[in-house]
Every structure is written in C-alpha cells, then in structure tokens.
Amino acid sequence: MTSEVWELVNINGNRTGVMIERGTNTPIPHGMYHEAVDIWTKSKDGKILITQRHPNKEWGLKWECSGGAILKGERSIDGARRELQEEIGITISKEKLTYLGKTIMSEYQCIMYTYLVVLTDEVELKLQPEEVVNAKWVSALELENMKEEVVKSVWDRYL
C-alpha cells in the first residue's frame, strides 16, 4: 500500500503548501486542517449504501458511508470519485455527484466535504478488504435504528 500525502489547508480551505504523510504521527500544525470526503450513495428506490469498517481500523466494525482523505493535488470531487472506486468498486462521473456542503471538524483538524450520488442502475460492489468488510443497502428507518452501530462523526453528517 502506498503512503497517503495530504496537503494541509487553512480554515477557508486554501492550500498552505504544507505536506504531511498519513501514519507518521506528525502532528497537524495549529490552524491547519487535512481534507476528507464522505459520499452518501443511494439507489434509485431510495435505499442507502452503508459499509462496515475493517476491525483493525479505528471504529472497527462500525458502519459508515464511503469516504476518506483527500490526497495531495486532488480536489474534493476527485477524492470522492477515487474513494468510491477504491472502497466499493463504483466508478462514476463528476456529474453524478451532488455537493451537499462542508463540515469543519475541529477536534480532528479536518474539513469534511459531503457528497451524494444516486445510482440509476444496479451495481456490483467490489469491497476493498483492508478497509471494508461488509456492505448493505438499508432504508432510512433501518439506518436510524442502527444509530449506535454507526461511526458517530459520520452519523452527525447523515443526510
């Protein structure tokens, strides 16, 4: 697995030129943030796709939407497309993604950009085994009944 390099941004999302490699325990300097994306995926009949985190990851076996860090040189929409492809094997065009907004997560020094994609065709999921151990389509009511099983920070940004 190749290393992830993030270009840090300020609170307004402007690039700072400061790079940090994930997993090196290098602290993010005060006033700077790394960027990440979440992508809520819905089927044409309104079901929501959730994935279960690998047990060795933080919040292991909790459920979430697809997502991850934006890499150096990426825009958020490019990171969203890459994460969908890597984690669950879905390839989509930029036009299929709807930007929902951003959340500044100060406790994680992260700016999270949230997207929605509504799939018009059935897809075959291909899970990235080191990231995702399970996936399922649920109704909004089923997801709400799973609140305790969902990563809290993801739940806080739920549609």
Side-chain angles (χ1 to χ4, degrees):
M1 184 173 175
T2 60
S3 66
E4 286 186 9
V5 177
W6 304 337
E7 182 173 3
L8 301 181
V9 297
N10 65 20
I11 196 158
N12 298 315
N14 298 319
R15 307 224 176 271
T16 64
V18 175
M19 307 298 166
I20 194 166
E21 187 174 345
R22 181 180 193 166
T24 59
N25 294 326
T26 304
I28 296 173
H30 179 73
M32 293 188 188
Y33 299 80
H34 76 280
E35 297 176 295
V37 291
D38 335 274
I39 310 97
W40 289 98
T41 303
K42 285 190 169 183
S43 65
K44 61 184 171 187
D45 65 354
K47 295 274 185 159
I48 302 162
L49 179 64
I50 55 174
T51 59
Q52 190 174 35
R53 295 174 66 85
H54 189 281
N56 294 339
K57 293 180 64 78
E58 189 173 10
W59 305 296
L61 299 179
K62 292 279 191 176
W63 293 89
E64 64 185 347
C65 60
S66 299
I70 296 172
L71 303 180
K72 175 184 136 191
E74 282 185 325
R75 294 178 21 235
S76 65
I77 197 164
D78 301 318
R81 292 179 68 228
R82 179 184 47 76
E83 287 291 343
L84 279 172
Q85 175 61 47
E86 286 178 359
E87 288 187 1
I88 56 176
I90 294 177
T91 302
I92 58 156
S93 65
K94 291 178 183 180
E95 295 75 31
K96 294 222 178 212
L97 284 166
T98 301
Y99 176 69
L100 299 177
K102 73 178 181 180
T103 305
I104 297 173
M105 303 170 60
S106 299
E107 66 272 26
Y108 301 108
Q109 286 181 269
C110 177
I111 298 176
M112 181 68 70
Y113 301 91
T114 302
Y115 287 88
L116 169 67
V117 60
V118 179
L119 301 175
T120 53
D121 299 313
E122 283 193 30
V123 294
E124 183 177 334
L125 302 178
K126 183 178 177 193
L127 306 183
Q128 183 182 22
E130 61 274 8
E131 295 278 335
V132 177
V133 296
N134 198 1
K136 62 183 174 179
W137 295 95
V138 296
S139 69
L141 180 58
E142 288 170 312
L143 183 57
E144 288 168 23
N145 288 332
M146 295 175 62
K147 182 177 180 177
E148 297 304 314
E149 300 172 60
V150 174
V151 175
K152 183 184 179 330
S153 62
V154 171
W155 182 260
D156 291 344
R157 291 183 308 282
Y158 170 58
L159 305 170

